[in-house]
Amino acid sequence: TARPFAEWGELFPNASCVVSLVDRLVHNAEILTFKGQSWRLKEAQERAAKRAKERAARRRARRKRTPPPDPRPDPGPGTGP
């Protein structure tokens, strides 16, 4: 997860599970903290914006289509009410 260790309790319901998991992960590790926007988050937001734009374009295209012609035959002149 990209969340800080302090927030892992929100993801995992059992606190002892989180403690043992973090302990195993960081036992012989160097923890690096990066500042700035996440590339994964940035790309996910760009994909979502692109999909929203494509959906909007499809909706506009559907609205512009003319309805199909009426399949009922024209009764002709003089047959109205």
Side-chain angles (χ1 to χ4, degrees), residues 17-48:
C17 172
V18 173
V19 170
S20 62
L21 179 63
V22 171
D23 183 53
R24 285 185 174 89
L25 286 173
V26 300
H27 177 64
N28 285 322
E30 283 188 44
I31 299 174
L32 304 174
T33 303
F34 294 94
K35 302 282 184 196
Q37 187 179 17
S38 164
W39 282 97
R40 286 185 294 173
L41 176 61
K42 178 181 173 267
E43 289 177 353
Q45 290 171 337
E46 289 171 354
R47 282 192 306 269

Side-chain angles (χ1 to χ4, degrees), residues 1 7-8 11-13 16-17 20 24 30 33 36 40 47 49 60-62 64-66 70 73 76-77 79 81:
T1 179
E7 294 179 13
W8 281 24
L11 299 172
F12 300 99
S16 61
C17 172
S20 62
R24 285 185 174 89
E30 283 188 44
T33 303
R40 286 185 294 173
R47 282 192 306 269
R60 282 192 303 274
R62 278 195 298 259
K64 285 184 179 181
R65 291 185 202 149
T66 57
D70 190 356
T79 58

